Amino acid sequence: MTTINPTASTTAPAPAFKGKSKIAEFVAKKIIPEANKLTPEQAFMEQVAGMSCAASTPDKEMLKNIVMRETALGHFDFVKGINEFLSRNEAKNIYKK
């Protein structure tokens, strides 16, 4: 009869990629555009524009593409408006049932 005994094996951790901090720094500075500093009034106007875009776009797939594009461009207030409209709209639909 043979028994299988677990053996304690130590595995050396693989060396981490040493250039990751340089790549992250490059992406943060060069590829991702700087977000514009908006005044509170401009930020509110962007949110309202996002809400109106969400209200006028019936196709969910097209709205998803708009959100992805605006997020990539750094227009987070616009996306915040879309999210706010969708959350309020869905909450209304839940209470109608």
PDB file of all heavy atoms in Angstrom, residues 6-28:
ATOM      1  N   PRO A   6       1.776  14.860   1.211  1.00  0.00           N
ATOM      2  CA  PRO A   6       2.077  16.143   0.563  1.00  0.00           C
ATOM      3  C   PRO A   6       3.475  16.599   0.952  1.00  0.00           C
ATOM      4  O   PRO A   6       3.894  16.467   2.093  1.00  0.00           O
ATOM      5  CB  PRO A   6       1.018  17.083   1.122  1.00  0.00           C
ATOM      6  CG  PRO A   6       0.564  16.451   2.378  1.00  0.00           C
ATOM      7  CD  PRO A   6       0.759  14.968   2.215  1.00  0.00           C
ATOM      8  N   THR A   7       4.180  17.053  -0.001  1.00  0.00           N
ATOM      9  CA  THR A   7       5.524  17.531   0.280  1.00  0.00           C
ATOM     10  C   THR A   7       5.496  19.049   0.305  1.00  0.00           C
ATOM     11  O   THR A   7       4.782  19.693  -0.463  1.00  0.00           O
ATOM     12  CB  THR A   7       6.518  17.065  -0.797  1.00  0.00           C
ATOM     13  OG1 THR A   7       6.070  17.557  -2.054  1.00  0.00           O
ATOM     14  CG2 THR A   7       6.608  15.560  -0.832  1.00  0.00           C
ATOM     15  N   ALA A   8       6.221  19.579   1.181  1.00  0.00           N
ATOM     16  CA  ALA A   8       6.309  21.026   1.286  1.00  0.00           C
ATOM     17  C   ALA A   8       7.292  21.517   0.242  1.00  0.00           C
ATOM     18  O   ALA A   8       8.478  21.256   0.320  1.00  0.00           O
ATOM     19  CB  ALA A   8       6.746  21.436   2.683  1.00  0.00           C
ATOM     20  N   SER A   9       6.764  22.151  -0.753  1.00  0.00           N
ATOM     21  CA  SER A   9       7.660  22.672  -1.787  1.00  0.00           C
ATOM     22  C   SER A   9       7.586  24.189  -1.755  1.00  0.00           C
ATOM     23  O   SER A   9       6.515  24.775  -1.651  1.00  0.00           O
ATOM     24  CB  SER A   9       7.247  22.164  -3.168  1.00  0.00           C
ATOM     25  OG  SER A   9       5.968  22.629  -3.491  1.00  0.00           O
ATOM     26  N   THR A  10       8.707  24.761  -1.818  1.00  0.00           N
ATOM     27  CA  THR A  10       8.754  26.212  -1.834  1.00  0.00           C
ATOM     28  C   THR A  10       8.965  26.654  -3.267  1.00  0.00           C
ATOM     29  O   THR A  10       9.907  26.223  -3.927  1.00  0.00           O
ATOM     30  CB  THR A  10       9.880  26.750  -0.933  1.00  0.00           C
ATOM     31  OG1 THR A  10      11.106  26.210  -1.401  1.00  0.00           O
ATOM     32  CG2 THR A  10       9.656  26.360   0.515  1.00  0.00           C
ATOM     33  N   THR A  11       8.077  27.476  -3.731  1.00  0.00           N
ATOM     34  CA  THR A  11       8.225  27.991  -5.088  1.00  0.00           C
ATOM     35  C   THR A  11       8.680  29.434  -4.993  1.00  0.00           C
ATOM     36  O   THR A  11       8.148  30.222  -4.211  1.00  0.00           O
ATOM     37  CB  THR A  11       6.897  27.918  -5.858  1.00  0.00           C
ATOM     38  OG1 THR A  11       5.924  28.642  -5.131  1.00  0.00           O
ATOM     39  CG2 THR A  11       6.442  26.485  -6.023  1.00  0.00           C
ATOM     40  N   ALA A  12       9.647  29.725  -5.751  1.00  0.00           N
ATOM     41  CA  ALA A  12      10.164  31.093  -5.759  1.00  0.00           C
ATOM     42  C   ALA A  12       9.196  31.964  -6.550  1.00  0.00           C
ATOM     43  O   ALA A  12       8.730  31.569  -7.615  1.00  0.00           O
ATOM     44  CB  ALA A  12      11.548  31.129  -6.387  1.00  0.00           C
ATOM     45  N   PRO A  13       8.835  33.131  -6.024  1.00  0.00           N
ATOM     46  CA  PRO A  13       7.932  33.995  -6.777  1.00  0.00           C
ATOM     47  C   PRO A  13       8.595  34.482  -8.059  1.00  0.00           C
ATOM     48  O   PRO A  13       9.802  34.703  -8.105  1.00  0.00           O
ATOM     49  CB  PRO A  13       7.658  35.155  -5.820  1.00  0.00           C
ATOM     50  CG  PRO A  13       8.801  35.144  -4.869  1.00  0.00           C
ATOM     51  CD  PRO A  13       9.260  33.714  -4.776  1.00  0.00           C
ATOM     52  N   ALA A  14       7.783  34.580  -9.086  1.00  0.00           N
ATOM     53  CA  ALA A  14       8.311  35.042 -10.368  1.00  0.00           C
ATOM     54  C   ALA A  14       8.687  36.507 -10.247  1.00  0.00           C
ATOM     55  O   ALA A  14       8.018  37.277  -9.554  1.00  0.00           O
ATOM     56  CB  ALA A  14       7.260  34.855 -11.445  1.00  0.00           C
ATOM     57  N   PRO A  15       9.727  36.911 -10.886  1.00  0.00           N
ATOM     58  CA  PRO A  15      10.111  38.326 -10.800  1.00  0.00           C
ATOM     59  C   PRO A  15       9.055  39.202 -11.466  1.00  0.00           C
ATOM     60  O   PRO A  15       8.532  38.859 -12.523  1.00  0.00           O
ATOM     61  CB  PRO A  15      11.443  38.394 -11.548  1.00  0.00           C
ATOM     62  CG  PRO A  15      11.472  37.171 -12.399  1.00  0.00           C
ATOM     63  CD  PRO A  15      10.644  36.136 -11.699  1.00  0.00           C
ATOM     64  N   ALA A  16       8.742  40.275 -10.837  1.00  0.00           N
ATOM     65  CA  ALA A  16       7.727  41.183 -11.360  1.00  0.00           C
ATOM     66  C   ALA A  16       8.299  41.966 -12.527  1.00  0.00           C
ATOM     67  O   ALA A  16       9.506  42.159 -12.640  1.00  0.00           O
ATOM     68  CB  ALA A  16       7.264  42.141 -10.266  1.00  0.00           C
ATOM     69  N   PHE A  17       7.417  42.413 -13.383  1.00  0.00           N
ATOM     70  CA  PHE A  17       7.832  43.231 -14.516  1.00  0.00           C
ATOM     71  C   PHE A  17       8.324  44.563 -13.991  1.00  0.00           C
ATOM     72  O   PHE A  17       7.600  45.295 -13.344  1.00  0.00           O
ATOM     73  CB  PHE A  17       6.651  43.411 -15.475  1.00  0.00           C
ATOM     74  CG  PHE A  17       6.977  44.230 -16.683  1.00  0.00           C
ATOM     75  CD1 PHE A  17       7.942  43.817 -17.581  1.00  0.00           C
ATOM     76  CD2 PHE A  17       6.326  45.416 -16.917  1.00  0.00           C
ATOM     77  CE1 PHE A  17       8.238  44.566 -18.695  1.00  0.00           C
ATOM     78  CE2 PHE A  17       6.618  46.174 -18.031  1.00  0.00           C
ATOM     79  CZ  PHE A  17       7.583  45.747 -18.920  1.00  0.00           C
ATOM     80  N   LYS A  18       9.539  44.876 -14.255  1.00  0.00           N
ATOM     81  CA  LYS A  18      10.163  46.044 -13.646  1.00  0.00           C
ATOM     82  C   LYS A  18       9.777  47.361 -14.308  1.00  0.00           C
ATOM     83  O   LYS A  18       9.945  48.411 -13.733  1.00  0.00           O
ATOM     84  CB  LYS A  18      11.675  45.880 -13.654  1.00  0.00           C
ATOM     85  CG  LYS A  18      12.134  44.689 -12.839  1.00  0.00           C
ATOM     86  CD  LYS A  18      13.583  44.798 -12.485  1.00  0.00           C
ATOM     87  CE  LYS A  18      14.067  43.583 -11.763  1.00  0.00           C
ATOM     88  NZ  LYS A  18      13.589  43.426 -10.433  1.00  0.00           N
ATOM     89  N   GLY A  19       9.216  47.305 -15.503  1.00  0.00           N
ATOM     90  CA  GLY A  19       8.888  48.539 -16.195  1.00  0.00           C
ATOM     91  C   GLY A  19       7.465  49.017 -15.976  1.00  0.00           C
ATOM     92  O   GLY A  19       7.019  49.961 -16.606  1.00  0.00           O
ATOM     93  N   LYS A  20       6.733  48.393 -15.066  1.00  0.00           N
ATOM     94  CA  LYS A  20       5.322  48.721 -14.923  1.00  0.00           C
ATOM     95  C   LYS A  20       5.094  50.149 -14.434  1.00  0.00           C
ATOM     96  O   LYS A  20       4.151  50.792 -14.849  1.00  0.00           O
ATOM     97  CB  LYS A  20       4.616  47.726 -14.012  1.00  0.00           C
ATOM     98  CG  LYS A  20       5.047  47.779 -12.571  1.00  0.00           C
ATOM     99  CD  LYS A  20       4.308  46.767 -11.752  1.00  0.00           C
ATOM    100  CE  LYS A  20       4.798  46.822 -10.326  1.00  0.00           C
ATOM    101  NZ  LYS A  20       4.112  45.897  -9.485  1.00  0.00           N
ATOM    102  N   SER A  21       5.943  50.662 -13.577  1.00  0.00           N
ATOM    103  CA  SER A  21       5.729  52.019 -13.091  1.00  0.00           C
ATOM    104  C   SER A  21       5.981  53.035 -14.198  1.00  0.00           C
ATOM    105  O   SER A  21       5.297  54.049 -14.285  1.00  0.00           O
ATOM    106  CB  SER A  21       6.620  52.317 -11.889  1.00  0.00           C
ATOM    107  OG  SER A  21       7.982  52.216 -12.264  1.00  0.00           O
ATOM    108  N   LYS A  22       6.935  52.765 -15.076  1.00  0.00           N
ATOM    109  CA  LYS A  22       7.205  53.667 -16.181  1.00  0.00           C
ATOM    110  C   LYS A  22       6.073  53.658 -17.192  1.00  0.00           C
ATOM    111  O   LYS A  22       5.702  54.689 -17.742  1.00  0.00           O
ATOM    112  CB  LYS A  22       8.520  53.293 -16.858  1.00  0.00           C
ATOM    113  CG  LYS A  22       9.734  53.541 -15.999  1.00  0.00           C
ATOM    114  CD  LYS A  22      10.999  53.135 -16.705  1.00  0.00           C
ATOM    115  CE  LYS A  22      12.202  53.301 -15.791  1.00  0.00           C
ATOM    116  NZ  LYS A  22      13.433  52.847 -16.424  1.00  0.00           N
ATOM    117  N   ILE A  23       5.508  52.472 -17.431  1.00  0.00           N
ATOM    118  CA  ILE A  23       4.393  52.368 -18.374  1.00  0.00           C
ATOM    119  C   ILE A  23       3.178  53.085 -17.819  1.00  0.00           C
ATOM    120  O   ILE A  23       2.499  53.828 -18.541  1.00  0.00           O
ATOM    121  CB  ILE A  23       4.081  50.896 -18.683  1.00  0.00           C
ATOM    122  CG1 ILE A  23       5.229  50.289 -19.477  1.00  0.00           C
ATOM    123  CG2 ILE A  23       2.773  50.765 -19.445  1.00  0.00           C
ATOM    124  CD1 ILE A  23       5.106  48.805 -19.710  1.00  0.00           C
ATOM    125  N   ALA A  24       2.883  52.902 -16.544  1.00  0.00           N
ATOM    126  CA  ALA A  24       1.736  53.568 -15.935  1.00  0.00           C
ATOM    127  C   ALA A  24       1.904  55.078 -15.972  1.00  0.00           C
ATOM    128  O   ALA A  24       0.951  55.817 -16.235  1.00  0.00           O
ATOM    129  CB  ALA A  24       1.551  53.088 -14.499  1.00  0.00           C
ATOM    130  N   GLU A  25       3.098  55.547 -15.738  1.00  0.00           N
ATOM    131  CA  GLU A  25       3.370  56.980 -15.784  1.00  0.00           C
ATOM    132  C   GLU A  25       3.195  57.512 -17.201  1.00  0.00           C
ATOM    133  O   GLU A  25       2.607  58.575 -17.413  1.00  0.00           O
ATOM    134  CB  GLU A  25       4.788  57.253 -15.294  1.00  0.00           C
ATOM    135  CG  GLU A  25       5.171  58.712 -15.258  1.00  0.00           C
ATOM    136  CD  GLU A  25       6.592  58.919 -14.748  1.00  0.00           C
ATOM    137  OE1 GLU A  25       7.123  58.031 -14.065  1.00  0.00           O
ATOM    138  OE2 GLU A  25       7.142  59.985 -15.049  1.00  0.00           O
ATOM    139  N   PHE A  26       3.661  56.754 -18.198  1.00  0.00           N
ATOM    140  CA  PHE A  26       3.517  57.164 -19.589  1.00  0.00           C
ATOM    141  C   PHE A  26       2.047  57.248 -19.980  1.00  0.00           C
ATOM    142  O   PHE A  26       1.608  58.212 -20.610  1.00  0.00           O
ATOM    143  CB  PHE A  26       4.246  56.187 -20.514  1.00  0.00           C
ATOM    144  CG  PHE A  26       4.022  56.458 -21.968  1.00  0.00           C
ATOM    145  CD1 PHE A  26       4.670  57.501 -22.592  1.00  0.00           C
ATOM    146  CD2 PHE A  26       3.159  55.677 -22.699  1.00  0.00           C
ATOM    147  CE1 PHE A  26       4.467  57.761 -23.938  1.00  0.00           C
ATOM    148  CE2 PHE A  26       2.938  55.927 -24.036  1.00  0.00           C
ATOM    149  CZ  PHE A  26       3.597  56.973 -24.661  1.00  0.00           C
ATOM    150  N   VAL A  27       1.274  56.233 -19.590  1.00  0.00           N
ATOM    151  CA  VAL A  27      -0.151  56.218 -19.920  1.00  0.00           C
ATOM    152  C   VAL A  27      -0.862  57.375 -19.247  1.00  0.00           C
ATOM    153  O   VAL A  27      -1.681  58.062 -19.859  1.00  0.00           O
ATOM    154  CB  VAL A  27      -0.792  54.872 -19.512  1.00  0.00           C
ATOM    155  CG1 VAL A  27      -2.299  54.930 -19.580  1.00  0.00           C
ATOM    156  CG2 VAL A  27      -0.266  53.761 -20.403  1.00  0.00           C
ATOM    157  N   ALA A  28      -0.535  57.634 -17.999  1.00  0.00           N
ATOM    158  CA  ALA A  28      -1.197  58.706 -17.264  1.00  0.00           C
ATOM    159  C   ALA A  28      -0.884  60.076 -17.862  1.00  0.00           C
ATOM    160  O   ALA A  28      -1.745  60.957 -17.886  1.00  0.00           O
ATOM    161  CB  ALA A  28      -0.782  58.672 -15.797  1.00  0.00           C
TER     162      ALA A  28
END
